[in-house]
Amino acid sequence: MVRLLLFYVVLFSASVAQTQNLDRIMIRGQVVSKTNDVEGITVFNTSSNNGTVTNAAGIFNIKVLLYDQIQISALQFKRVTIIIDSTMIKNKALTVF
């Protein structure tokens, strides 16, 4: 009985570990604003718990999968949540105004 339980625990652990290794693709994005204050804006993929910040031109790179949720936030702007769709995946690009 203990061996059977141990077998199921190991089997379940292996399947959970397998689902965590998703091949995300890198997309390039840009935040565009009238104020040109676009450096240091937080870009966070809530689906993978990974994030980055924009450079002085508002450009960022982040890994995504289809239907991932991306949150873009900064003190001077309202938080924006974007769902990654197939067009963004195909073009490997995202622009936020």
Side-chain angles (χ1 to χ4, degrees):
M1 180 68 174
V2 173
R3 287 183 180 175
L4 184 61
L5 181 60
L6 182 60
F7 172 74
Y8 283 121
V9 168
V10 170
L11 182 65
F12 178 71
S13 298
S15 66
V16 170
Q18 180 72 18
T19 60
Q20 295 298 318
N21 294 331
L22 301 173
D23 291 328
R24 296 181 187 279
I25 65 160
M26 185 70 71
I27 64 169
R28 183 173 191 238
Q30 183 172 14
V31 176
V32 179
S33 171
K34 292 178 186 176
T35 65
N36 292 329
D37 186 17
V38 292
E39 184 175 10
I41 296 174
T42 303
V43 181
F44 186 73
N45 185 336
T46 60
S47 303
S48 68
N49 289 325
N50 289 314
T52 187
V53 294
T54 59
N55 66 11
I59 296 172
F60 62 91
N61 292 308
I62 194 163
K63 288 187 174 185
V64 298
L65 277 177
L66 190 61
Y67 305 120
D68 276 1
Q69 290 188 4
I70 306 298
Q71 285 188 348
I72 300 171
S73 61
L75 292 175
Q76 67 270 32
F77 300 115
K78 181 180 177 183
R79 179 180 293 178
V80 176
T81 300
I82 297 169
I83 307 295
I84 299 298
D85 64 17
S86 59
T87 304
M88 294 173 197
I89 296 286
K90 179 182 166 188
N91 296 332
K92 295 185 180 180
L94 168 65
T95 302
V96 180
F97 296 95

